[in-house]
Amino acid sequence: MRITFSLQRFDPERDHAPHQEEFRLDVAWRSTTVLDALIRIRQEVDPTVAFRHSCRSAICGSCSMVINGRHTLACKTLIGPEIERHGPTITVAPMRNLPVLKDLAVRMEPFWQKVRAVTPWLEQAGGASSTAQAVLTKETRSHLHNVDACILCGACVSSCSSLEVSPGFLGPAALAKAYRFVADPRDGARSRRLTMLTQPDGVWDCTRCNMCVEVCPKDVQPMEAIVRLRRAAITDGLTDTIGARHITSFTEIVRQEGRLNEGRLPAQMLWRHPAALLAQLPLAIKMFVRGKVPLPWHPPLDSIRAIRRLFGRWGTPSSWTN
Amino acid sequence: MRYAFFPGCVAQGACPELYQSTMVVARHFGIELIELRQASCCGAGVLKEASPALALSLNARTLGMAQHRGLPLLTICGTCQGVLSSVKRELDEQSALRETINASIEQEDERYRGGLEIKHLLWAMLEDLGLDRLKAAVARPLTGLQVAPFYGCYILRPSGDLKHDDPFHPDSLEAVITALGATPIDYEGRIKCCGFPILLEKAEMAARMSGENLVDAKTHGADCLVTPCPLCHMSLDIYQQRAEQAMGRSIGLPILHFPQLVGLALGYSPKELGMARHLVSTSKVLQKIGVG
């Protein structure tokens, strides 16, 4: 079957901007992957087409790119389902949120810098007297299963909503890697790690859009790791960030009223940040005029006893303060 | 058509016009909504960050309430839909976890036995009402109106929990927009994040996120944007002025709730649909379809 591949081309030595170039190829579409097709295009049509690849088995993580709008591995993407869903033209672009080197190859250095920044290795607990060995139990190992599966392909980074607007954000891959060590009982640097991860560009910059969970070829679920890091930070008493106060305030409002009250949340989150709170005021007035501000203190739901029973049973850390 | 109805906090708080327009549309089609007045907040993913078991149990209780009434659950908020769908998958797949969670719920008739159907109004329109009935009910075709569909994250991702639209190429909003006589516009931002979850803690990032999507929609010729998620509505409507500041340009794009767009095509007045509650004026949309 004759398939059209529309590849994004960009040669920094010749081009001002990227452009699409079409290549037509007869392929056995049921058994051919997009990577197979790219290799054939380079061998048979144009040897200057640039892209990364190595294992062809979804293990090395080299051939991450954007295929028909989806951030994925070219070696894992069969042509058949693509043409069934999107017709006989397959569009291929380089990963996003990383600078393009040439055509479909991006510069990975910013990616590696962020992974290195989270010190992705076990650190020993402080003090020379620390000789006791921590044991990695079966249960903990199962807990680390998802984050250990990361092949550092960068698909999550390519898809990340926060990175699009804030390139300094550590990003889903580095944060999933950070969680792998925070959650490991053999690691002795949990406190230092969490302090670093709750700084600007850290865990509180994630917008929880689930893009990284959706695109990960190995089910690492980076956003879930970020959520766990946030919980770990709060549990360890790192509650003095607006991000942490979002969670503690939200939870406390639902405990008191049974529902979220948008009339209370900003005040409860931001009272220690008067400038930020004041900045909400003009909007709050406009919302009030249009009947969009609920009463600050709603009567709780009639069923609040049943709701508070669940709060009592599953609880929240007693160190929380509001 | 009869559903247990979970309106969510925002439709009863900062976006009462969503609740109002839902009631108008439901009444029009004779859809019976049995509201779960004693259900708690779904947690919007935030409660889960505090305690996963707490979030599971509160939502299991909501699912149990619908199940006890023998009805599928209807949502009108993309975020509620996403959170409840994830809870459903987790509790449906793990019976031991379901039992543990149920044991913490006091009332027998609020425990969840698994297998409940949870539907957003958008999907109910497509699957239960059907496009033919919707088309037949259009009294004021929205001809010439260019509408930017904006899905919001939680109604699309993770697709394993939602099992409805293709998360990168969804088409359910487009199908309804077309049925109403309007023209859906195609732009990258339609599947992206509105920035709402970090609106208060990372205001500049959130403004940039919503701003990029709004400008994208506007550049592609949108007269208005429609969303099935009231959290997206808050970010894109209430905070649009901040997005304009972040982008350094005026945008002025009216943001409609999903049932408001349907209600307009059914012939209801802007007042009946609560259009005056928006911060970004909807007058240009109304002029274009010959209302007001």
Side-chain angles (χ1 to χ4, degrees), chain B residues 275-292:
Chain B
M275 309 284 279
R277 288 192 191 271
H278 296 196
L279 265 71
V280 178
S281 167
T282 55
S283 59
K284 278 187 213 156
V285 176
L286 302 175
Q287 278 165 19
K288 190 138 190 180
I289 57 170
V291 185

Side-chain angles (χ1 to χ4, degrees), chain A residues 21-39:
Chain A
E21 186 174 348
E22 291 193 348
F23 297 89
R24 282 170 195 83
L25 217 57
D26 283 317
V27 294
W29 58 275
R30 281 181 207 280
S31 56
T32 306
T33 67
V34 172
L35 180 62
D36 295 332
L38 289 175
I39 292 169

Side-chain angles (χ1 to χ4, degrees), chain A residues 247-264:
Chain A
I247 297 176
T248 53
S249 307
F250 189 114
T251 308
E252 182 54 21
I253 292 171
V254 176
R255 192 186 69 78
Q256 288 176 11
E257 299 188 15
R259 283 199 194 129
L260 177 65
N261 181 336
E262 298 107 337
R264 278 178 68 187

Side-chain angles (χ1 to χ4, degrees), chain A residues 67-71 85-86 96 159 161-166 169 199-201 204-211 213-215 223-224 226-227 230-231 234 242-244 246-248 250-251 254 258-262 265-266 269-270 276 279-280 283 286-287 290-294 298 301-307 309-317 320, chain B residues 8-17 35-41 43-54 57-58 61 65 100-101 103-107 110 153-154 156-160 166-169 188 191-202 204-206 208-209 212 233-234 237-239 241-242 257 276-280:
Chain A
I67 299 167
N68 282 334
R70 177 184 289 267
H71 313 255
R85 266 189 231 137
H86 308 293
R96 300 223 180 156
S159 73
S161 303
S162 289
L163 274 170
E164 269 183 33
V165 296
S166 183
F169 175 43
Q199 301 298 308
D201 291 333
W204 300 115
D205 286 34
C206 166
T207 184
R208 284 195 281 107
C209 70
N210 265 315
M211 273 287 191
V213 176
E214 186 65 45
V215 303
M223 191 195 87
E224 296 299 331
I226 295 171
V227 165
R230 289 175 169 186
R231 197 181 307 131
I234 295 176
I242 304 180
H246 189 166
I247 297 176
T248 53
F250 189 114
T251 308
V254 176
R259 283 199 194 129
L260 177 65
N261 181 336
E262 298 107 337
L265 187 66
M269 274 173 71
L270 300 172
Q280 298 294 323
L283 271 182
K286 283 185 194 169
M287 287 173 69
R290 287 168 175 81
K292 283 171 118 18
V293 181
H298 249 285
L301 295 179
D302 292 341
S303 64
I304 194 69
R305 205 186 57 82
I307 291 166
R309 185 175 187 270
L310 296 174
F311 272 81
R313 170 65 183 84
W314 298 114
T316 46
W320 285 22
Chain B
C9 302
V10 182
Q12 300 172 88
C15 291
E17 70 280 6
E35 189 169 333
L36 302 178
R37 293 184 196 278
Q38 296 309 321
S40 69
C41 169
V46 180
L47 276 182
K48 183 184 169 188
E49 295 190 284
S51 162
L54 174 65
S57 66
L58 289 171
R61 189 174 156 265
M65 286 178 189
T100 310
I101 293 294
S104 70
I105 298 172
E106 196 170 24
Q107 277 180 246
E110 292 180 350
C153 300
Y154 295 108
L156 294 175
R157 301 181 289 271
S159 55
D166 177 326
F168 290 96
H169 303 278
E188 268 196 7
I191 60 164
K192 289 193 173 175
C193 179
C194 71
F196 183 83
I198 51 171
L199 239 169
L200 291 170
E201 50 264 58
K202 302 285 170 184
E204 281 167 31
M205 282 174 69
R208 186 96 202 158
M209 273 183 205
E212 296 279 1
H233 193 277
M234 287 172 79
D237 175 65
I238 295 174
Y239 286 85
Q241 204 179 347
R242 293 218 186 147
H257 294 285
R277 288 192 191 271
H278 296 196
L279 265 71
V280 178

Side-chain angles (χ1 to χ4, degrees), chain A residues 163-206:
Chain A
L163 274 170
E164 269 183 33
V165 296
S166 183
F169 175 43
L170 273 171
L175 288 171
K177 189 57 78 186
Y179 173 72
R180 191 252 164 273
F181 293 96
V182 166
D184 193 321
R186 298 168 299 178
D187 188 69
R190 176 181 165 108
S191 165
R192 184 185 56 73
R193 288 182 193 275
L194 286 174
T195 304
M196 177 264 191
L197 295 168
T198 47
Q199 301 298 308
D201 291 333
V203 291
W204 300 115
D205 286 34
C206 166

